Amino acid sequence: QVQLVESGGGLVQAGGSLKLSCTASGMDISTYTMGWYRQAPGNQRELAASITRGSTTKNYADSVKGRFTISRDNAKNMVSLQMTSVKPEDTAVYYCNYINRNGKPGDSWGQGTQVYVSS
């Protein structure tokens, strides 16, 4: 059974930094592209960043490009998201998940980690 556990969220002032972590169990993340998704109140869940299996390619939503950095440690089955220069619009629940060959996220979601950015 796939389990994804996100951590590292919290309250941060605009312009500050935060690092999120995701630990996976029940799956070997080294065989998947992984992504960080986020869902703000009243909005649909969106893909913020993704990273291919060997960390060769990283993609970012335009809204976070240049501010967020995704990374992975396949040996530890972990994915991280370094957030810098955060903005109030980054306020959301952040989730990690694998991305299948169709570009869709896996069926199982963790509880997510709440990030709140104050202005």
Side-chain angles (χ1 to χ4, degrees), residues 10-116:
L11 173 63
V12 59
Q13 287 190 331
S17 300
L18 208 59
K19 186 172 184 179
L20 308 183
S21 297
C22 169
T23 301
S25 60
M27 64 174 289
D28 179 0
I29 71 163
S30 68
T31 62
Y32 293 97
T33 291
M34 297 296 294
W36 276 98
Y37 294 79
R38 66 183 186 178
Q39 187 169 20
N43 290 358
Q44 290 188 334
R45 193 172 293 171
E46 64 172 358
L47 178 62
S50 64
I51 183 169
T52 51
R53 291 177 296 174
S55 302
T56 306
T57 302
K58 303 177 184 181
N59 289 308
Y60 299 92
D62 288 342
S63 56
V64 308
K65 198 172 294 182
R67 300 186 299 117
F68 291 8
T69 302
I70 189 171
S71 60
R72 64 191 296 161
D73 186 336
N74 289 339
K76 295 182 179 180
N77 237 25
M78 289 180 61
V79 186
S80 299
L81 185 69
Q82 178 68 54
M83 306 169 61
T84 62
S85 301
V86 296
K87 304 175 181 179
E89 50 263 45
D90 294 322
T91 295
V93 180
Y94 286 73
Y95 305 86
C96 71
N97 209 334
Y98 68 89
I99 301 174
N100 65 26
R101 294 182 178 181
N102 296 321
K104 302 296 183 181
D107 293 334
S108 296
W109 294 92
Q111 82 288 350
T113 188
Q114 174 74 56
V115 172
Y116 182 80

